[in-house]
Amino acid sequence: MLRRAGKFQKPRCPVSAPLPEDSGEVLNRKWLEWAKQESFRRLAFRTFLMDAQSSMTLLVNPLICYAELSDSLPESAELWTAEDAEQWKALYLQRSMRSPDAQLSLISFLRQRSEPLALEGYHDVHFSSLIVLHGFWGLIWEYLQHLSVLNIRPGDSNAVMNLRYQELCNLLSHFRIGISDLREGPCPETTLILQALSMYLHMSLEDIQLFAGKEDIEEASRVLPSLQQWMSHSQSRQAVWHAGQVLAAARGFPTKQLSGFLAITVYHASLACWTYGLISQAKSARDQQNAGSIAPGEVLVSTQPQPTQGPRLDGDETGEVQRFIVLGRGSPAITQSNDASETTDLVRLSQPEAVMMVVLSVLKRNFPQRDGEALPPLVENLTQLLRDLSIAAGSVGH
């Protein structure tokens, strides 16, 4: 309906801008016309966000293409929340004096790599940033579909796809740097989705879900070789680095806000860490067995205390992290908070059982339990999945 009504394109008849001398009925009419146009614009973009999130969650083709959205991004939140026509006029005229021709569209970000700083003063910065990020998903989805159709795996030589991969990495990096320069800085939601997109770019979520038991054991066995090949490439380390950053962003969410699609994204990050840790654990055990350090039939998982040092995936991007991503050095870990002692410990990804418990605590802490208050149904289901995967990881080595 929105498509057929032309709500994804620029309005054919733009509303009249308020003039300094406007007042009374004339000004009120202009305000209401602007509000109606802006309402449809925001509805169209909200629909686009929901569609893109469904695509990321279910791994299905988006119904709305980013190339359709030629309308300008939503105007400033101050204008949108103006209480009356006079306040709206004052804000409108003040904004026009600062940036008379500053309207940006999603296409301009995808085509020209406009700076996020250009959003300030004219557009709704938070909403527009989310729109641009969800537009990036359309580009990433197309890239992943091409990889699947051509059966290209990490490390395969394909000049065209390698160039496209580098372009997408640069696009996400350019946007990440840009939003860090915003006056108010990026909000946790923007940071989480940006890191999640980078994570999706560097892994096959479909293969990881199949390995985690989405279908049956035959499907899990079928995708294992491709995941082992992925593990030998730096893309796997890039994926878990961004997964750790998703967890870091999730910890910064306001109470009871980490739900719905955002909670699912945290779950996807946990799957990346779980898969990486489980396959690393199995590879380490095989290496020990091949070296003759243990005999066949013995327990393959080391029961010795794990060292606590290693690159922190949910911390800052240090030299240690870069050595891990590029060279594969170090044992990656995420942070576990200890409320009782107010200290933090590091949990290595090679301990997938403990890793899932850390992610579980991230979700549950966003919903403090008071007077028997239950978790939202979706979050409760995800926490149960995390428990099941923790148990599965714990039984692998025995």
Side-chain angles (χ1 to χ4, degrees):
M1 292 170 63
L2 289 167
R3 180 181 288 118
R4 289 179 64 100
K7 299 305 180 184
F8 295 152
Q9 287 81 43
K10 290 183 179 179
R12 295 187 182 91
C13 300
V15 298
S16 301
L19 302 174
E21 61 270 19
D22 287 341
S23 62
E25 184 60 31
V26 173
L27 177 60
N28 196 61
R29 175 178 54 79
K30 289 185 177 182
W31 179 43
L32 294 179
E33 288 176 354
W34 177 89
K36 180 179 180 180
Q37 179 178 283
E38 184 69 8
S39 295
F40 273 112
R41 175 180 290 130
R42 287 172 174 261
L43 173 62
F45 281 120
R46 281 292 173 193
T47 307
F48 172 67
L49 262 60
M50 291 178 64
D51 177 50
Q53 291 174 4
S54 295
S55 175
M56 284 183 260
T57 300
L58 304 173
L59 295 180
V60 295
N61 198 53
L63 299 177
I64 304 173
C65 179
Y66 55 85
E68 293 184 85
L69 300 170
S70 61
D71 196 5
S72 61
L73 294 169
E75 298 196 40
S76 70
E78 290 79 9
L79 274 181
W80 178 240
T81 56
E83 296 183 359
D84 54 42
E86 287 292 342
Q87 184 183 16
W88 171 75
K89 183 183 79 169
L91 291 169
Y92 198 105
L93 294 175
Q94 182 183 15
R95 181 198 65 175
S96 299
M97 290 174 63
R98 292 199 309 267
S99 49
D101 189 24
Q103 282 192 326
L104 295 171
S105 67
L106 172 60
I107 299 299
S108 69
F109 272 89
L110 302 181
R111 180 187 298 156
Q112 304 168 8
R113 297 189 181 180
S114 298
E115 286 284 352
L117 282 172
L119 295 170
E120 290 189 324
Y122 200 100
H123 295 282
D124 187 326
V125 176
H126 173 60
F127 193 6
S128 298
S129 297
L130 292 178
I131 292 166
V132 173
L133 287 174
H134 287 72
F136 290 165
W137 167 248
L139 299 174
I140 294 171
W141 172 257
E142 290 174 350
Y143 166 77
L144 295 175
Q145 290 299 99
H146 279 102
L147 290 184
S148 177
V149 170
L150 299 174
N151 195 31
I152 298 174
R153 300 297 178 187
D156 290 351
S157 178
N158 186 295
V160 174
M161 298 311 297
N162 290 343
L163 179 60
R164 187 56 177 156
Y165 163 76
Q166 194 59 53
E167 288 176 346
L168 290 171
C169 288
N170 291 340
L171 187 67
L172 291 168
S173 178
H174 181 85
F175 192 82
R176 177 176 59 83
I177 295 170
I179 62 171
S180 66
D181 293 332
L182 293 174
R183 185 168 55 250
E184 297 181 359
C187 66
E189 183 179 9
T190 302
T191 302
L192 186 147
I193 294 177
L194 175 58
Q195 295 295 340
L197 290 172
S198 299
M199 177 182 69
Y200 295 144
L201 176 62
H202 290 94
M203 70 185 195
S204 170
L205 181 59
E206 177 68 18
D207 285 356
I208 286 176
Q209 287 181 327
L210 290 172
F211 181 68
K214 179 182 178 182
E215 299 291 342
D216 51 33
I217 192 170
E218 286 79 11
E219 285 296 299
S221 299
R222 181 183 65 81
V223 300
L224 179 57
S226 65
L227 288 175
Q228 289 172 328
Q229 182 179 352
W230 171 72
M231 284 285 300
S232 65
H233 196 270
S234 63
Q235 286 200 19
S236 64
R237 300 189 290 274
Q238 283 279 3
V240 295
W241 158 249
H242 291 295
Q245 294 300 296
V246 168
L247 298 179
R251 290 190 177 104
F253 266 73
T255 302
K256 298 186 178 181
Q257 297 298 309
L258 192 60
S259 60
F261 167 72
L262 301 171
I264 292 173
T265 302
V266 174
Y267 172 68
H268 288 167
S270 76
L271 287 181
C273 295
W274 183 85
T275 301
Y276 185 95
L278 210 58
I279 297 179
S280 296
Q281 191 184 67
K283 181 179 182 301
S284 177
R286 283 197 308 272
D287 291 344
Q288 291 178 26
Q289 187 171 359
N290 292 337
S293 59
I294 59 175
E298 293 183 20
V299 175
L300 301 182
V301 180
S302 174
T303 57
Q304 297 300 317
Q306 300 284 358
T308 58
Q309 297 301 317
R312 282 185 51 193
L313 301 180
D314 51 357
D316 296 331
E317 191 172 355
T318 62
E320 190 178 22
V321 169
Q322 283 298 319
R323 284 190 290 273
F324 163 69
I325 294 174
V326 178
L327 304 175
R329 295 179 182 173
S331 299
I334 59 175
T335 306
Q336 180 182 38
S337 299
N338 190 326
D339 292 334
S341 60
E342 297 184 354
T343 59
T344 57
D345 300 317
L346 290 183
V347 176
R348 290 175 25 157
L349 296 197
S350 56
Q351 302 169 286
E353 183 178 4
V355 166
M356 302 312 273
M357 291 296 98
V358 172
V359 180
L360 175 65
S361 69
V362 171
L363 286 176
K364 294 188 70 173
R365 283 182 183 178
N366 194 254
F367 295 90
Q369 310 290 154
R370 298 189 182 93
D371 300 325
E373 183 181 3
L375 292 171
L378 175 61
V379 177
E380 179 62 45
N381 290 340
L382 291 176
T383 58
Q384 186 57 52
L385 285 172
L386 292 169
R387 292 189 189 95
D388 293 343
L389 289 170
S390 176
I391 294 171
S395 65
V396 165
H398 300 287

